[in-house]
Amino acid sequence: MGMQIRFSTVALILVICIALFFSLYKLTESPSVWYDEGWYTQAAMNLAETGVDGLQLAPDNIYHASLLTTVGYPLIYPLGLWMKIFGSSVLAARSFMLLCILGFLFVAFLLIRRLSGKTIALGALALLATLPTLYGNGKSVLGEVPGLLYLVFSLLCISFVRSDGNRKYSWIILGGVSAGLCIVTKPLFLVFIPALAVGTFLEWKRGSLNLKEVIGGIVCALLPVLVWVMVQFRGDTSMLSVIKYYANPYQITDLFSVILSNVGHLFTSIGNIYLVGTILIWCVALALRMRSKNKIPAEEIIAFIFTLLVIAAFLRTAGWYRYLFPAQVLSLLFFPGAFSVLGEYFGRYVSVIRHHWQKAVVVIIVFLSVYGTYQLAFDSWVAEAYSSHKTAFWQEYLGHLPPTRSVFFYNTPEVVIFMPHRNYRQYIVPAGGVVGQDQLLFLELGIPDVAIVESDSYTEGKSPFENYTLDKTAYKYSILKKK
């Protein structure tokens, strides 16, 4: 028994060290700062420095892009406060995201330990801590990991509602508020609403919640949504236009063909096949448990329905694999428990594994964790950026431009966040709209001293760059100087 406890403690410390190392390693360079991250980081920087969560299009002109800024205040506002304290920089922004990663891992471990015990929780933590996409999406300023943190914490609160009668209402309030924050963090998490509704109904049917408590939880969940409506949508933006945008942000016309194509994508990469495999195992384990009349916790049912809905939502998008990330995380979170159910079941009928299925489960989880660590170190998107110096380059280049020299950023919001002053203008073309159209006139007239554009979007002598010539190229960007 003592040996087992010591082994678990050592394994837990090892997993924590892995998570800390890969969270901190090349924090500002890996993964490389990219388009969406630049957009959201700008919003938080401007909130910290000016009190307005928007994008600067010109000096003293900050535009609140409510319709296109799809990441909500549950990320932007805490990050803005963090920058108010520690300064507006890529390092500060990603340090905040590091805390979100570690907070999510901690809450996820607590949830699975309550549902399945410490050993299963340790296996889930090992799989998550060695998942490359956790750091690829988590170190960047994006909404996925903060949204998952709110989501898993709400599930943890549900587990306490059943067992902690003395503080039941406290957990209902915390769970409701956390669920609401999750829902408005990013449109992707809107599918949490039907999943949560099913779980709440189930708890009510089982007698864990009465009608008064259900209504109280709904009210608490609605409070963050009301705040979201007030701070996210201003001016003449109508809720109808918001719904239309969220329903089809990429303006897809042939939805059936897109769905067929994305179904194929689920089986064309090792990561997606891994996702499908873990969900199938989870599904079979749930079926076996229901067949055996085992009571399945509402929080697991909520997570399972949410996972399926995330995949369904992915099928109607442009096919970016990042949209599958929450499903990937939750399927791994419940995979060790599901795999143990299968091992125990087949151990009853197959004599070869009858006394060894537990060891087999441990071996598989260790193998997957080691393979994940290898990918983190050598063969993943984050690993590809370990040798990059993109952040250092832009900090050096823009840091040496005197404040008197004006800069124009042509659809490069990820570069703007390295500007040490506010003498700049920008024009952006995100999915679903254009921001800063009126700023192009300044570029066409050759007023800014420097223009920065992606090299693929630049043609010398062509509008709107007639008054500029190429100075240098770096990291697929062209830096132009005024003729």
Side-chain angles (χ1 to χ4, degrees), residues 216-232:
I218 293 173
V219 170
C220 292
L222 285 176
L223 291 176
V225 177
L226 293 176
V227 174
W228 174 69
V229 171
M230 290 186 291
V231 304
Q232 186 82 0

Side-chain angles (χ1 to χ4, degrees), residues 258-281:
V258 169
I259 291 175
L260 285 180
S261 176
N262 286 333
V263 169
H265 289 162
L266 292 175
F267 302 93
T268 54
S269 72
I270 186 65
N272 288 347
I273 294 173
Y274 186 23
L275 167 63
V276 172
T278 54
I279 291 178
L280 286 176
I281 290 174

Side-chain angles (χ1 to χ4, degrees), residues 344-364:
E344 183 179 10
Y345 177 80
F346 288 108
R348 299 173 190 166
Y349 304 100
V350 182
S351 58
V352 177
I353 64 172
R354 183 167 300 161
H355 303 293
H356 304 287
W357 66 267
Q358 291 177 319
K359 295 178 181 177
V361 170
V362 172
V363 169
I364 293 296

Side-chain angles (χ1 to χ4, degrees), residues 37 123 132 144 158-159 165 171 193 238 247 358 368 476:
E37 181 179 9
E144 280 78 359
I158 292 174
S159 73
W171 291 117
I193 297 174
S238 67
Q358 291 177 319
L368 292 174
K476 299 181 181 180

Side-chain angles (χ1 to χ4, degrees), residues 187-480:
L188 176 64
F189 291 100
L190 289 173
V191 296
F192 188 46
I193 297 174
L196 190 61
V198 172
T200 302
F201 176 77
L202 183 62
E203 287 297 312
W204 174 71
K205 289 288 290 183
R206 290 174 174 175
S208 301
L209 294 172
N210 58 41
L211 187 59
K212 179 181 176 181
E213 292 164 344
V214 170
I215 294 174
I218 293 173
V219 170
C220 292
L222 285 176
L223 291 176
V225 177
L226 293 176
V227 174
W228 174 69
V229 171
M230 290 186 291
V231 304
Q232 186 82 0
F233 307 111
R234 305 172 190 171
D236 58 356
T237 302
S238 67
M239 286 302 295
L240 180 60
S241 63
V242 171
I243 293 171
K244 287 182 178 179
Y245 173 73
Y246 283 179
N248 190 12
Y250 291 95
Q251 308 300 311
I252 295 171
T253 55
D254 189 357
L255 187 60
F256 182 71
S257 297
V258 169
I259 291 175
L260 285 180
S261 176
N262 286 333
V263 169
H265 289 162
L266 292 175
F267 302 93
T268 54
S269 72
I270 186 65
N272 288 347
I273 294 173
Y274 186 23
L275 167 63
V276 172
T278 54
I279 291 178
L280 286 176
I281 290 174
W282 191 6
C283 187
V284 172
L286 285 172
L288 291 175
R289 290 159 66 189
M290 288 189 292
R291 182 183 176 185
S292 301
K293 307 298 182 181
N294 291 337
K295 182 183 289 187
I296 300 173
E299 43 271 43
E300 183 173 357
I301 293 175
I302 294 171
F304 183 71
I305 294 174
F306 173 79
T307 299
L308 297 182
L309 292 176
V310 166
I311 296 174
F314 162 79
L315 297 179
R316 45 160 289 281
T317 68
W320 301 109
Y321 291 157
R322 179 161 62 92
Y323 297 151
L324 289 171
F325 171 68
Q328 184 182 36
V329 167
L330 289 183
S331 66
L332 286 181
L333 184 60
F334 288 92
F335 173 76
F339 197 54
S340 296
V341 170
L342 264 64
E344 183 179 10
Y345 177 80
F346 288 108
R348 299 173 190 166
Y349 304 100
V350 182
S351 58
V352 177
I353 64 172
R354 183 167 300 161
H355 303 293
H356 304 287
W357 66 267
Q358 291 177 319
K359 295 178 181 177
V361 170
V362 172
V363 169
I364 293 296
I365 292 176
V366 169
F367 170 78
L368 292 174
S369 300
V370 170
Y371 180 64
T373 305
Y374 167 79
Q375 286 187 307
L376 264 173
F378 306 107
D379 187 25
S380 60
W381 184 40
V382 288
E384 290 175 1
Y386 289 155
S387 59
S388 173
H389 302 284
K390 179 179 175 180
T391 293
F393 170 81
W394 286 120
Q395 288 175 334
E396 174 76 14
Y397 177 81
L398 294 175
H400 282 80
L401 282 181
T404 54
R405 299 196 68 190
S406 59
V407 182
F408 194 100
F409 295 94
Y410 186 91
N411 202 29
T412 53
E414 68 276 22
V415 183
V416 177
I417 60 180
F418 298 104
M419 277 294 288
H421 55 78
R422 292 191 168 273
N423 190 10
Y424 69 86
R425 300 176 184 272
Q426 67 174 319
Y427 163 79
I428 315 174
V429 191
V434 175
V435 178
Q437 180 74 42
D438 56 332
Q439 300 301 317
L440 285 179
L441 178 61
F442 294 89
L443 187 64
E444 293 168 353
L445 295 175
I447 294 176
D449 299 297
V450 177
I452 297 174
V453 57
E454 286 187 337
S455 297
D456 291 342
S457 301
Y458 169 66
T459 302
E460 189 171 2
K462 298 293 184 179
S463 178
F465 307 108
E466 298 98 322
N467 291 307
Y468 294 85
T469 184
L470 181 65
D471 183 26
K472 64 174 68 176
T473 58
Y475 296 97
K476 299 181 181 180
Y477 297 91
S478 293
I479 301 175
L480 315 179

